[in-house]
Every structure is written in C-alpha cells, then in structure tokens.
Amino acid sequence: MAFLKFIDKEGADSFMSGTAQFGRVKEYLEIEQKYAEKFLKAEQKKCAGKTDEMEGKYYTTKNQTLQGIPVRLTINADRQDVDYALCLYHLDDKRSIERITDMFEFGEYVVKIEDELEFDRRIKNGAKKNKYLLYNRDVLYYQDESIEDEMKVMDLMTESLDHVSFAKRKELFLYQNEYRYLLVDENADEKNIRFKIRKLEDIATIMTRSEFLKTL
C-alpha cells in the first residue's frame, strides 16, 4: 500500500532528494540502552522511540529448569557491527494503525512513499551499484513465550545470520509495523552508510504530523 518514514525535517528533505541512509544496528542498540528509562515503562507495555534493547537479538523467557525456575534465553548473532538498517512503517490493509501517532517519536514529519515497488527498485539498484549486500522484508514480530513464533525466528535465521535483525518482540514493537532494508558491509566502520538513489518527488510526499493525520 505505502511506506512511511517518520523523521525530522532535515532528514525528510535529504531522503526526498535521493539520499538513502542506513544506520548501524550497533548504534541503534547503544541509543536504545541510553534512553530506555526515558521511553520504556513496563506498566505501559509499549515502546515509543528508539528503545529496543533487544535490537538484533532474539529473546525468550518461555524455558524453565527442571525445578520450574524461568530461564532467560537470548540469541545474539553478533552482527550489529556489520548490519545497517533503513526502517520504514509498512502501511497496508493487514496491519493496525491504532498507535500510529506513537511513531512521531521518531520525528515530526513523515515521508509517504506511494509506490512501494518503484522505491524498492531504486534502493536495490543503489545498493547493487555500490556493491552492498542487501536484504529486505517485513519485520517478524514474535511473542517470547510462543513456541510457534520461536520456530518462525529459527527458520528466519537459517536463511542468514543477518536475518536475526528482522525479529522484534511483538508485545512492545508491533505498533511500528516495520519494513526493514538491511545492508551488510563487513568492512564498514561508520555510524551511517549513505548512497544516492533517484529523487523521490515523483513517488513520495513530505507531510507534517497534522497534515498526515488528516489523511487517515
């Protein structure tokens, strides 16, 4: 249906001009840990902004010892140094937009990409031209006590260790409806990776918060 990028004005202008920016997954994790107390409140059972302490990991508490003591299991593929992510909100008919206003924690502007297929083509062409390995898909949201979801995550990881970055905890992050482009660079040592694609004016629009909410 459409991709949405929630972002500040400067970032929105840069994005529209054809600059694709991928943030290092490790940097996301460090930012999330820094601001966790500010944004993540257990009683609210939600997460707004950049506060996923399990970014790039799989986490479950469904296992127990023989004595019934809960065991916290975390699978970390240790890919945060080489994985870079471009994160979008996937606006489609299958997903709820109930908490979409929470997405403005990422910025007071939104770039709405009307043509998903054309945007996908431009991103992939840009990555190929710059010789980057690129994965893309909807994020897999899992419940940490679900055996079925655990099997889905394991299947995801058998495709590639990089795919663990596509798994996020459903309870906290389902509202983000994320579609992720994941770029892999084994030799990069930068906070962000940027490359140019075609300008987006023909397939996308910048809107303020109030302008966008009127379209829903």
Side-chain angles (χ1 to χ4, degrees):
M1 185 175 174
F3 288 140
L4 306 176
K5 181 66 174 175
F6 292 85
I7 197 167
D8 59 31
K9 184 60 166 63
E10 182 180 356
D13 289 338
S14 176
F15 192 40
M16 287 289 287
S17 72
T19 299
Q21 176 171 303
F22 291 72
R24 197 177 194 178
V25 170
K26 179 180 180 180
E27 300 292 335
Y28 287 151
L29 180 58
E30 291 173 353
I31 292 172
E32 288 150 5
Q33 290 173 335
K34 181 178 179 181
Y35 291 104
E37 291 186 2
K38 179 178 179 182
F39 291 114
L40 184 56
K41 297 179 180 179
E43 70 272 15
Q44 292 181 325
K45 298 297 183 183
K46 74 174 187 176
C47 175
K50 303 173 181 178
T51 61
D52 181 4
E53 62 177 306
M54 288 299 149
E55 177 67 57
K57 302 177 183 179
Y58 169 69
Y59 166 87
T60 181
T61 56
K62 71 176 182 57
N63 301 290
Q64 297 182 353
T65 66
L66 293 176
Q67 293 75 32
I69 301 173
V71 175
R72 169 176 167 152
L73 173 65
T74 302
I75 297 176
N76 179 4
D78 198 22
R79 303 293 292 168
Q80 295 98 330
D81 284 337
V82 299
D83 288 349
Y84 291 77
L86 170 62
C87 308
L88 304 166
Y89 186 104
H90 200 179
L91 186 65
D92 60 25
D93 295 332
K94 300 177 182 179
R95 300 186 176 204
S96 170
I97 60 171
E98 180 181 355
R99 289 183 53 196
I100 199 167
T101 54
D102 290 339
M103 293 299 297
F104 285 101
E105 290 285 353
F106 292 95
E108 284 297 307
Y109 286 79
V110 58
V111 175
K112 184 176 183 180
I113 302 166
E114 301 283 1
D115 191 335
E116 294 181 31
L117 293 179
E118 176 58 20
F119 178 77
D120 183 75
R121 187 187 69 81
R122 294 180 191 184
I123 287 289
K124 288 179 177 176
N125 283 346
K128 182 178 180 180
K129 185 181 297 183
N130 288 277
K131 299 181 180 179
Y132 290 125
L133 177 62
L134 185 73
Y135 303 103
N136 62 290
R137 57 160 290 153
D138 284 305
V139 162
L140 170 61
Y141 293 100
Y142 66 88
Q143 291 180 318
D144 62 20
E145 296 184 0
S146 167
I147 295 176
E148 292 78 10
D149 284 355
E150 181 178 5
M151 292 174 64
K152 291 177 183 177
V153 173
M154 296 306 153
D155 287 343
L156 188 67
M157 286 194 290
T158 60
E159 298 179 38
S160 164
L161 286 179
D162 298 299
H163 280 73
V164 72
S165 271
F166 290 103
K168 296 182 78 105
R169 296 171 66 191
K170 183 181 294 183
E171 180 183 22
L172 296 178
F173 303 107
L174 180 63
Y175 78 95
Q176 294 179 355
N177 291 352
E178 184 180 338
Y179 191 94
R180 176 170 289 199
Y181 286 90
L182 189 72
L183 183 152
V184 182
D185 188 340
E186 299 282 353
N187 301 311
D189 191 26
E190 305 291 337
K191 182 177 180 180
N192 299 297
I193 288 179
R194 300 179 182 88
F195 57 78
K196 297 297 290 186
I197 60 175
R198 278 185 56 192
K199 294 181 179 181
L200 303 182
E201 284 90 344
D202 59 325
I203 61 171
T205 306
I206 297 179
M207 288 180 276
T208 64
R209 176 185 180 127
S210 60
E211 289 170 340
F212 172 71
L213 293 179
K214 289 176 182 177
T215 70
L216 296 179

